[in-house]
Amino acid sequence: MSLYFILLTASGAVPLLLSFDKRLQFYKQWKYVFPSILLVALVYIVFDVNFTNLGIWGFNPEYLSGIYLFSLPLEEILFFVVIPYASIFLHESIREYFPKLEIPKSINMALTIALIVLCVLIAVFNIDKSYTFYISLKLAVALLLALFLNSRIPRSFFITFIVILIPFLIVNGILTGSYINGEVVWYNNSENLGLRVFTIPVEDFAYAFSMILYNFLLIEQLIKWKSK
């Protein structure tokens, strides 16, 4: 079993088992969660394949199973299912126990607009850095979509993401070279800002936030369509 697969198993096993907890009953949301995860994953995988082929990032075969699909390691494809599931589960678990955990609407609006402006500025001034440009615009679009849909999700997600960052720092830290010899995933620093938190490129934080936010927005819409 590859190191990457071990990390995915460790990340997904507990949330999957606790999905059947009597209080949470998260499995009842699967009809919304899994379609969302698969649709968002499809978009992110397409860009992942392209960026891998362009050498913007790549993978160390020493820590992989050796099975590839669409030029991506099998583990990388599973990443787009396991990590969003674990993150959504953690968010929903926090919300179950702390249902009033939200920032005020006015602060949410100000923070969202500020982040959109920041993302656009970063993208404009880093057109030559593919990863920075790509993820800045992707996050800006996700936040704009949240505003357009008048979604309440960001009001709690801005808070729960801070908790999600704890396992993120551990898992992504290992993937990018913390605690191991070399890296599971390597990055071409000429295509990003070259700024890292420990071994994690700062763009990865925006990557995680945007991917999970897209999932929440889609889940929210699926629930609304189902209730009509």
Side-chain angles (χ1 to χ4, degrees), residues 51-52 54-61 175-176 183-189 192 196 201:
F51 278 19
T52 301
L54 291 173
I56 293 169
W57 56 55
F59 308 91
N60 185 347
L175 290 176
T176 55
E183 306 161 315
V184 180
V185 183
W186 57 261
Y187 292 81
N188 179 351
N189 282 332
N192 59 56
R196 300 207 177 204

Side-chain angles (χ1 to χ4, degrees), residues 105-206:
K105 186 175 182 180
S106 58
I107 295 177
N108 175 71
M109 179 70 72
L111 182 56
T112 300
I113 293 173
L115 284 173
I116 291 171
V117 172
L118 178 61
C119 286
V120 171
L121 288 174
I122 291 173
V124 168
F125 288 104
N126 292 278
I127 295 176
D128 60 325
K129 299 183 187 330
S130 299
Y131 186 24
T132 306
F133 179 78
Y134 154 74
I135 200 57
S136 295
L137 287 186
K138 206 156 196 175
L139 179 53
V141 171
L143 292 168
L144 278 170
L145 189 59
L147 285 180
F148 176 77
L149 294 173
N150 195 28
S151 173
R152 193 165 185 153
I153 292 293
R155 294 179 61 182
S156 56
F157 184 48
F158 277 128
I159 300 174
T160 60
F161 186 68
I162 297 172
V163 181
I164 291 169
L165 281 177
I166 297 171
F168 169 84
L169 287 169
I170 296 171
V171 174
N172 217 43
I174 296 173
L175 290 176
T176 55
S178 296
Y179 323 114
I180 63 173
N181 183 25
E183 306 161 315
V184 180
V185 183
W186 57 261
Y187 292 81
N188 179 351
N189 282 332
S190 66
E191 300 292 349
N192 59 56
L193 293 174
L195 301 174
R196 300 207 177 204
V197 176
F198 304 113
T199 55
I200 305 170
V202 293
E203 288 87 350
D204 278 11
F205 292 86

Side-chain angles (χ1 to χ4, degrees), residues 18 24 29 46 48 51 63 65 77 79 87-88 90 93 100 125-126 137 147-148 158 173 175 201 213 222 228:
L18 290 180
L24 295 174
Q29 298 187 45
V46 168
D48 202 337
F51 278 19
Y63 296 114
S65 64
I77 292 176
F79 171 92
S87 300
I88 294 167
L90 183 52
S93 298
K100 296 181 179 180
F125 288 104
N126 292 278
L137 287 186
L147 285 180
F148 176 77
F158 277 128
L175 290 176
L213 179 56
L222 289 174
K228 287 183 179 179

Side-chain angles (χ1 to χ4, degrees), residues 42-124:
L42 180 62
V43 176
Y44 276 76
I45 287 171
V46 168
F47 279 93
D48 202 337
V49 170
N50 186 44
F51 278 19
T52 301
N53 291 335
L54 291 173
I56 293 169
W57 56 55
F59 308 91
N60 185 347
E62 181 180 350
Y63 296 114
L64 304 173
S65 64
I67 303 172
Y68 289 78
L69 295 172
F70 312 112
S71 76
L72 291 181
L74 175 61
E75 294 92 334
E76 179 72 356
I77 292 176
L78 291 175
F79 171 92
F80 293 102
V81 176
V82 175
I83 299 304
Y85 183 87
S87 300
I88 294 167
F89 173 83
L90 183 52
H91 168 89
E92 293 297 338
S93 298
I94 296 171
R95 291 285 292 153
E96 173 64 29
Y97 287 94
F98 304 97
K100 296 181 179 180
L101 190 67
E102 289 185 341
I103 60 176
K105 186 175 182 180
S106 58
I107 295 177
N108 175 71
M109 179 70 72
L111 182 56
T112 300
I113 293 173
L115 284 173
I116 291 171
V117 172
L118 178 61
C119 286
V120 171
L121 288 174
I122 291 173
V124 168

